Amino acid sequence: MTLFPTYQRNGIRPVKGEGAHIWDESGRKYLDFTSGLGVCNLGHGHPRIKEAVQTQLDRLWHISNLFEIPCQEEAAASLTKASGLGAVFFANSGAEANEAAIKLARRFGHLSRKVTKPEILTFHSSFHGRTLATLTATGQEKVKTDCGPYPDGFRSLPFNDMTAVKQATGEQTVAILLELIQGEGGIRPADPDFVRQLRKFCTEENILLMVDEVQTGLGRTGTLFAFQQYGIIPDVVTLAKGLGNGIPAGAMLGRSDLVPFLGAGSHASTFGGNPVAMSAVVAVMKEMMDTTILEQVKQKGEYLEDQLHRQLAGCPLVKEIRGRGMMLGLALTVSAADLVEKAKEKGLLVLVAGSQVLRLLPPLIVTPEQIDKAVEVLTQGLAELEEESDYERISGI
């Protein structure tokens, strides 16, 4: 054993990826509805991104952030224009982006509000990363086992509960951090009224509304950012996953008036904003903004959800289908891991989001025919699980 066994591997050794498919070392082809955990939004080996990265590799691989990096500035300009926010800090991952947001919120509290012990409110079932701060912010105890002691300054509240937010808010509260669709927490969308009330409340109380779009951002839900479907503009937005389409990149976006709270020397990342990563980000943003892909995601997401409802109607193992765009979850009465295994046997790769929720994160370039194939496989897998569970009940196993 040469690796720490921190991941539960699924037995596949991928060696090639193209579009919505990957191939293992034996040459078997799989339809990939995981997108590398929501990373390869534009599919594997997208030509525009590949060309941009290859061009940058011939120019400059790395230079520190002590120098101006033109493609970093171009990437930041495209993100601020698209989001309505004013400035960007680049990191390498979603956890790092959320760390930057946490630090910004605390500095905002200390320097603007004169708060002595800044507190950030988060929500049950949320997931914000694996660093100690983002782990503490995460509202799931199962990922925190044996990692304490945890840093102070976080409190987790019931999701979609405005009363709980108001009751928990005090003089030390500097920010509220939430996902608009909880990914690891079971594909649970935030209620639109709750989000609008939260935006109004944060403005009135001079609290930062920080939205974690690490999984929902970059077209995943049918708009470039999920917050655009809620009719709000957050004070801070964090991104990663699809931002570089497989090239590691994360970003924290913030309002222009928050810029003074992260001045020179206040925060840094050696590899954040690396030229190669930024070339991928620029290419991703151009593909998102110069093509009709976002409209396609909306249409294909609706088609996928409609097909799931049609084909799985009456299936006793499916309790609910939820989510938006290309981020959907099947809440089941049986183990989601069992359905993942059934799907894998039939050439489809899917994910779990909790013990009884199947997560679907197909690449945004998926075709209707590939959607039909995935739904067919899931339908067959659920039918087999239903037969097996009936057999177990009858036989008393």
Side-chain angles (χ1 to χ4, degrees):
M1 175 63 71
T2 56
L3 294 169
F4 280 102
T6 54
Y7 301 97
Q8 187 172 349
R9 311 289 189 177
N10 68 4
I12 298 175
R13 288 174 173 264
V15 296
K16 176 186 174 183
E18 183 178 335
H21 291 98
I22 65 167
W23 287 259
D24 67 15
E25 61 184 1
S26 71
R28 187 178 181 190
K29 182 180 179 181
Y30 295 87
L31 181 56
D32 183 12
F33 266 46
T34 74
S35 300
L37 286 175
V39 169
C40 298
N41 283 6
L42 296 173
H44 298 282
H46 191 281
R48 187 171 199 168
I49 301 162
K50 181 179 179 180
E51 181 182 4
V53 171
Q54 288 179 332
T55 299
Q56 186 60 48
L57 285 171
D58 288 335
R59 293 174 176 169
L60 180 67
W61 291 16
H62 180 76
I63 190 73
S64 82
N65 281 300
L66 297 177
F67 298 88
E68 295 181 1
I69 303 172
C71 57
Q72 185 184 110
E73 295 169 3
E74 184 179 357
S78 64
L79 286 168
T80 54
K81 180 180 179 180
S83 67
L85 296 172
V88 182
F89 174 85
F90 284 111
N92 305 292
S93 67
E96 284 189 38
N98 283 330
E99 283 277 354
I102 290 166
K103 182 180 282 190
L104 173 60
R106 289 184 171 187
R107 289 179 63 83
F108 165 77
H110 284 299
L111 299 173
S112 176
R113 301 250 319 266
K114 308 305 178 185
V115 168
T116 55
K117 295 182 177 181
E119 182 178 65
I120 296 173
L121 304 181
T122 67
F123 296 95
H124 298 343
S125 298
S126 63
F127 184 85
H128 299 294
R130 297 279 188 172
T131 64
L132 275 176
T134 57
L135 190 66
T136 308
T138 291
Q140 300 184 56
E141 292 303 316
K142 67 180 182 180
V143 299
K144 301 182 182 182
T145 305
D146 300 327
C147 292
Y150 306 105
D152 293 332
F154 300 93
R155 195 188 316 186
S156 183
L157 308 174
F159 192 43
N160 284 325
D161 189 336
M162 197 63 214
T163 300
V165 170
K166 291 180 177 180
Q167 291 176 345
T169 299
E171 292 183 358
Q172 304 296 316
T173 306
V174 297
I176 296 174
L177 174 64
L178 83 157
E179 301 161 280
L180 293 175
I181 300 178
Q182 293 184 332
E184 298 288 335
I187 315 297
R188 300 178 184 276
D191 180 81
D193 287 338
F194 169 71
V195 174
R196 286 190 287 269
Q197 291 178 44
L198 199 59
R199 172 67 282 180
K200 183 174 184 291
F201 179 75
C202 287
T203 300
E204 293 171 347
E205 298 296 323
N206 195 22
I207 295 169
L208 299 183
L209 178 58
M210 308 197 302
V211 174
D212 179 338
E213 293 237 27
V214 168
Q215 190 165 157
T216 57
L218 283 302
R220 174 55 58 184
T221 66
T223 49
L224 190 65
F225 307 108
F227 75 75
Q228 292 168 326
Q229 298 179 43
Y230 285 81
I232 65 160
I233 298 180
D235 302 306
V236 175
V237 173
T238 56
L239 302 169
K241 289 191 181 290
L243 186 60
N245 205 66
I247 305 300
M252 179 200 68
L253 286 61
R255 295 183 336 222
S256 296
D257 61 303
L258 296 175
V259 169
F261 301 111
L262 276 188
S266 64
H267 196 44
S269 173
T270 297
F271 294 107
N274 171 279
V276 176
M278 293 300 98
S279 69
V281 173
V282 169
V284 167
M285 289 299 293
K286 285 181 177 178
E287 187 69 15
M288 291 289 181
M289 306 312 295
D290 296 349
T291 69
T292 61
I293 190 166
L294 292 175
E295 183 59 33
Q296 293 175 35
V297 173
K298 181 180 178 182
Q299 295 170 356
K300 288 185 286 192
E302 290 174 353
Y303 179 71
L304 172 58
E305 187 171 2
D306 180 66
Q307 288 299 101
L308 288 169
H309 279 289
R310 286 174 180 270
Q311 300 302 322
L312 301 180
C315 177
L317 304 187
V318 179
K319 294 191 295 184
E320 184 183 7
I321 300 170
R322 59 193 183 219
R324 292 191 180 197
M326 294 290 191
M327 184 177 179
L328 298 179
L330 304 183
L332 307 173
T333 62
V334 294
S335 167
D338 290 343
L339 184 53
V340 168
E341 190 62 28
K342 292 285 187 185
K344 185 180 74 172
E345 292 171 0
K346 303 176 192 303
L348 173 68
L349 303 180
V350 289
L351 299 161
V352 299
S355 62
Q356 291 186 293
V357 179
L358 188 85
R359 178 169 33 165
L360 302 177
L361 298 175
L364 310 186
I365 49 86
V366 70
T367 66
E369 292 76 19
Q370 290 165 342
I371 289 174
D372 290 342
K373 177 61 177 177
V375 173
E376 178 185 354
V377 168
L378 293 175
T379 303
Q380 293 173 353
L382 284 164
E384 291 175 10
L385 288 175
E386 185 178 354
E387 288 180 6
E388 291 169 8
S389 60
D390 287 342
Y391 173 76
E392 290 176 1
R393 284 195 295 271
I394 293 171
S395 62
I397 295 176

